[in-house]
């Protein structure tokens, strides 16, 4: 007789069976269709129709799922055990039926995430390019009002129209501010750098009141002071965390469409994230992992490791609200 688990839940304890076995789900969590069974839903958004340069992030969710199976149950730095704090489930991929129609696709993503947030499930998404954060924020803001946001990225993504589109991956947070999904006074953008063709490229961020921390300022201040500044800016209200993998130095995250030299080290990024414990997180995402440019799954693995830190933050926030 062939031995196989009767229920996928048999895999829910990553240590119960070898971590390299079974179908890859995010962190080897049980897949769920039933939203009443989930507190935090990890969702793949395999869409990169908003990319302005090198495509490939549509392959991100599958690669991050695979690499996330390497991770274990407990964060040894903080002792946080996210799977005991909340029911974490892999909700599968956001199904996009019109991937070649940018605005239609974004509405489809929005509709999917409304289903998630309206069921009271906190979304943790894996893109996909950064354009996907706008429709996710539409759903999140509907549930929580304009949110604060901690945005770690080489780019502010507050550009405007590009080649006739207002919804490419360089503009989601200008749109989000215009649509009052985020409160610019409670937004901090960390790791900004690189070349630009427009001297006012990131002017919107500053004029709207966002706190922009360039990579140079980050290097001068260090992760500890930057984390303190992020806590001050985000305050006690609901806050969303969006992590663009291109914030990392290209040597540690080559698999991304728009690399910029001289970025965060993975360890700095992990320490920065761990220092955000206790904020009132209501969702998060990891975007721009583009496996076609990756080298030996380095980017997807570092991305999965960052995703685990974000999961820990969300799980603690969930447990704090539940206990309150
Ligand atoms: Mn971005
Ligand atoms: Mn970026």
């Amino acid at each position: 007789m062939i031995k196989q688990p009767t229920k996928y839940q048999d895999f829910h304890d990553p240590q119960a069976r070898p971590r390299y076995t079974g179908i890859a789900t995010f962190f080897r969590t049980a897949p769920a269709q039933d939203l009443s069974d989930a507190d935090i839903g990890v969702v793949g958004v395999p869409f990169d129709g908003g990319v302005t340069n090198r495509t490939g992030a549509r392959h991100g969710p599958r690669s991050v799922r695979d690499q996330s199976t390497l991770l274990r149950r407990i964060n040894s730095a903080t002792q946080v055990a996210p799977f005991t704090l909340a029911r974490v489930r892999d909700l599968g991929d956001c199904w996009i039926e019109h991937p070649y129609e940018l605005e239609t696709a974004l509405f489809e993503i929005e509709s999917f995430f409304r289903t998630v947030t309206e069921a009271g499930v906190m979304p943790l998404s894996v893109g996909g390019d950064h354009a996907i954060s706008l429709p996710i924020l539409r759903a999140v803001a509907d549930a929580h009002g304009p949110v604060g946001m901690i945005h770690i990225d080489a780019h502010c993504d507050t550009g405007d129209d590009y080649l006739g589109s207002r919804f490419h991956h360089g503009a989601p947070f200008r749109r989000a501010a215009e649509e009052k999904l985020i409160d610019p006074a409670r937004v901090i953008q960390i790791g900004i750098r690189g070349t630009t063709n427009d001297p006012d490229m990131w002017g919107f961020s500053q004029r709207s009141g966002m706190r922009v921390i360039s990579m140079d300022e980050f290097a001068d201040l260090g992760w500890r002071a930057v984390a303190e500044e992020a806590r001050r800016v985000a305050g006690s209200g609901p806050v969303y965390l969006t992590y663009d993998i291109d914030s990392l130095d290209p040597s540690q995250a080559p698999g991304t469409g728009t690399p910029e030299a001289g970025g965060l080290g993975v360890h700095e990024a992990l320490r920065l994230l761990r220092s955000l414990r206790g904020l009132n997180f209501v969702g998060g995402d990891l975007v721009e992992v583009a496996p076609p440019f990756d080298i030996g799954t380095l980017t997807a693995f570092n991305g999965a490791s960052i995703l685990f830190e974000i999961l820990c933050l969300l799980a603690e926030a969930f447990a704090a609200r539940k206990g309150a």
Side-chain angles (χ1 to χ4, degrees):
M1 193 180 127
I2 297 170
K3 257 189 162 178
Q4 58 182 28
T6 52
K7 287 189 299 182
Y8 205 87
Q9 271 73 0
D10 291 352
F11 282 104
H12 189 46
D13 177 357
Q15 306 308 319
R17 293 168 196 273
R19 280 172 287 141
Y20 53 83
T21 60
I23 297 164
T25 62
F26 287 118
F27 309 116
R28 293 176 61 81
T29 55
Q33 302 288 322
D34 179 5
L35 292 170
S36 68
D37 183 46
D39 300 316
I40 296 173
V42 197
V43 180
V45 187
F47 176 76
D48 60 13
V51 162
T52 54
N53 202 323
R54 309 190 302 173
T55 56
R58 69 181 66 175
H59 303 288
R62 186 168 287 180
S63 195
V64 174
R65 267 196 185 89
D66 191 13
Q67 293 305 305
S68 75
T69 66
L70 279 159
L71 301 177
R72 306 178 186 85
R73 297 192 68 93
I74 299 163
N75 187 327
S76 69
T78 60
Q79 296 301 310
V80 171
F83 308 106
T84 61
L85 291 175
R87 294 173 300 167
V88 184
R89 300 289 183 263
D90 187 327
L91 300 184
D93 283 347
C94 172
W95 197 262
I96 296 154
E97 293 184 10
H98 298 87
Y100 308 116
E101 297 170 19
L102 176 55
E103 289 177 46
T104 308
L106 296 183
F107 280 120
E108 290 185 271
I109 296 169
E110 177 185 338
S111 161
F112 178 95
F113 279 91
R114 276 185 199 283
T115 311
V116 174
T117 54
E118 281 167 13
V121 176
M122 187 160 29
L124 176 57
S125 316
V126 178
D129 72 61
H130 225 153
I132 68 163
S133 296
L134 176 66
I136 296 169
L137 281 167
R138 284 177 183 153
V140 168
D142 233 27
H144 299 280
V147 293
M149 188 173 75
I150 295 173
H151 172 201
I152 305 168
D153 197 327
H155 316 95
C156 287
D157 294 350
T158 48
D160 207 349
D161 179 286
Y162 180 63
L163 302 177
S165 173
R166 302 169 68 242
F167 296 97
H168 58 88
H169 70 159
F173 304 119
R174 181 187 289 234
R175 301 286 90 86
E178 288 169 350
E179 294 181 26
K180 301 201 183 329
L181 312 176
I182 54 176
D183 173 2
R186 295 183 52 227
V187 171
I188 186 166
Q189 305 185 298
I190 300 166
I192 312 305
R193 63 187 188 274
T195 51
T196 173
N197 289 326
D198 175 359
D200 193 43
M201 184 76 169
W202 310 127
F204 180 87
S205 288
Q206 273 131 358
R207 284 193 298 277
S208 66
M210 299 179 189
R211 173 74 166 101
V212 180
I213 296 194
S214 70
M215 194 58 217
D216 284 355
E217 187 178 0
F218 182 93
D220 289 343
L221 292 177
W223 58 265
R224 205 184 298 267
V226 172
E228 268 172 39
E229 180 71 346
R231 302 178 72 88
R232 182 190 69 76
V233 170
S236 58
V239 57
Y240 188 82
L241 198 156
T242 183
Y243 199 103
D244 186 328
I245 201 73
D246 70 27
S247 61
L248 295 183
D249 191 83
S251 64
Q252 298 183 43
T256 196
T258 320
E260 305 290 354
L264 291 168
V266 178
H267 185 241
E268 287 178 308
L270 298 176
R271 298 280 323 248
L272 174 65
L273 291 168
R274 278 173 208 150
S275 306
L276 301 175
R277 291 175 71 189
L279 294 181
N280 187 15
F281 289 106
V282 292
D285 63 47
L286 168 76
V287 296
E288 301 283 355
V289 172
F293 302 109
D294 208 357
I295 298 168
T297 67
L298 176 61
T299 313
F301 175 69
N302 284 335
S305 303
I306 283 166
L307 190 69
F308 183 79
E309 293 292 341
I310 301 172
L311 174 66
C312 290
L313 295 173
L314 300 193
E316 282 198 295
F318 168 79
R321 284 195 294 271
K322 197 174 145 196

